Amino acid sequence: MTIASYKRILLKLSGEALMGDDSYGINRAVIERIVAEIADVIQLGVQVAVVIGGGNIFRGITSAEDGMDRATADYMGMLATVMNALALQDAMRRGGLVSRVQSALRIDQVVEPYIRGKAIRYLETGKVVIFAAGTGNPFFTTDTAAALRGMEMNVDIVLKGTKVDGVYTTDPKTNADAIRYQKLSFDVAIAQNLKVMDATALTLCRDQKLPLNVFSIFKPGALKRVVMGEDEGTLVQA
């Protein structure tokens, strides 16, 4: 019998991950493939929570840089994450997975409000919990929301699914000599500003000794290999 290295995980997905090669919105083939990857992990008996971003629809920080009030822009970004969460939930339903969306902003006609105890019970009964609207506060990223929800859900590890297969010494797209870190400390990631996650999220994980793995969500089977404890992506730990 195949045994996973982690019992409960939190998967952080950027909104951009749902776009695939599109310039905007949600690519149906991509979201269905991500759901299939999550299903493979659930079959191992792993409990899965998801925090999703909204950058494929609206990026609050970009709009703020263009002159929009930052708090207003961030709230708009939170609403974009709710849209993505609903799309992911629908894809999971079509893929045979049972999921629940909980939002840090109250939109009771559409999704449940975030209630920690309820979310934990959902995970314990095999449901995927999708956390939307970040932390519910402006000026905080969905990376920070992932670290926060990961700690609240008592997960074993936070997994950040990105477009690259780990953290590199330099940008692998522009430098062929870039080397992937197999393991990395939070202090080094913060000091060298390696763009693993924002500094607030990294500090939260470091202080609570919650490990983080950065891997490519576009690499087939990568999520399962991370959960199995194989050398996939970059492991960041205290």
Side-chain angles (χ1 to χ4, degrees):
M1 180 180 176
T2 305
I3 300 176
S5 295
Y6 308 105
K7 181 180 179 182
R8 181 181 294 171
I9 65 172
L10 185 138
L11 174 63
K12 167 58 170 58
L13 291 174
S14 66
E16 289 87 341
L18 303 184
M19 292 192 306
D21 293 327
D22 298 341
S23 59
Y24 176 84
I26 300 165
N27 183 296
R28 180 169 176 173
V30 168
I31 199 170
E32 287 178 349
R33 191 186 59 73
I34 291 173
V35 167
E37 298 268 341
I38 294 172
D40 286 344
V41 166
I42 290 173
Q43 288 177 356
L44 297 174
V46 178
Q47 298 172 12
V48 180
V50 180
V51 166
I52 196 160
N56 57 319
I57 299 172
F58 186 88
R59 289 189 63 82
I61 195 166
T62 302
S63 296
E65 289 171 351
D66 290 339
M68 181 180 283
D69 175 73
R70 174 64 191 271
T72 299
D74 281 354
Y75 281 120
M76 291 173 69
M78 291 178 217
L79 295 176
T81 72
V82 175
M83 295 169 69
N84 280 338
L86 290 171
L88 183 60
Q89 182 184 43
D90 182 71
M92 287 184 174
R93 177 188 58 78
R94 287 184 276 111
L97 299 181
V98 180
S99 62
R100 296 288 185 271
V101 177
Q102 289 198 348
S103 170
L105 294 178
R106 293 196 71 108
I107 318 175
D108 294 357
Q109 293 92 333
V110 182
V111 292
E112 297 180 20
Y114 170 64
I115 300 173
R116 178 175 180 263
K118 206 171 187 179
I120 290 175
R121 286 196 295 274
Y122 284 149
L123 292 172
E124 290 171 343
T125 56
K127 297 179 179 67
V128 180
V129 182
I130 306 167
F131 295 114
T135 66
N137 301 289
F139 307 103
F140 290 93
T141 67
T142 50
D143 279 350
T144 299
L148 181 63
R149 295 290 181 251
M151 289 181 287
E152 289 181 302
M153 294 299 106
N154 300 318
V155 301
D156 299 316
I157 190 169
V158 172
L159 308 180
K160 183 173 181 180
T162 69
K163 292 184 176 182
V164 292
D165 61 341
V167 181
Y168 283 77
T169 50
T170 58
D171 188 348
K173 294 179 181 178
T174 58
N175 186 358
D177 295 326
I179 299 172
R180 177 178 65 89
Y181 289 103
Q182 182 181 0
K183 291 185 179 180
L184 193 64
S185 73
F186 284 111
D187 287 335
V188 169
I190 294 169
Q192 296 187 11
N193 194 26
L194 290 175
K195 307 295 184 183
V196 181
M197 277 184 160
D198 67 77
T200 305
L202 289 173
T203 302
L204 280 170
C205 289
R206 181 194 65 187
D207 292 350
Q208 299 302 317
K209 296 181 172 58
L210 177 61
L212 163 72
N213 190 296
V214 181
F215 72 105
S216 172
I217 194 65
F218 295 104
K219 189 175 178 182
L223 176 59
K224 185 175 181 180
R225 286 192 291 275
V226 172
V227 169
M228 296 301 298
E230 298 178 18
D231 177 20
E232 185 68 52
T234 298
L235 180 64
V236 188
Q237 55 192 352

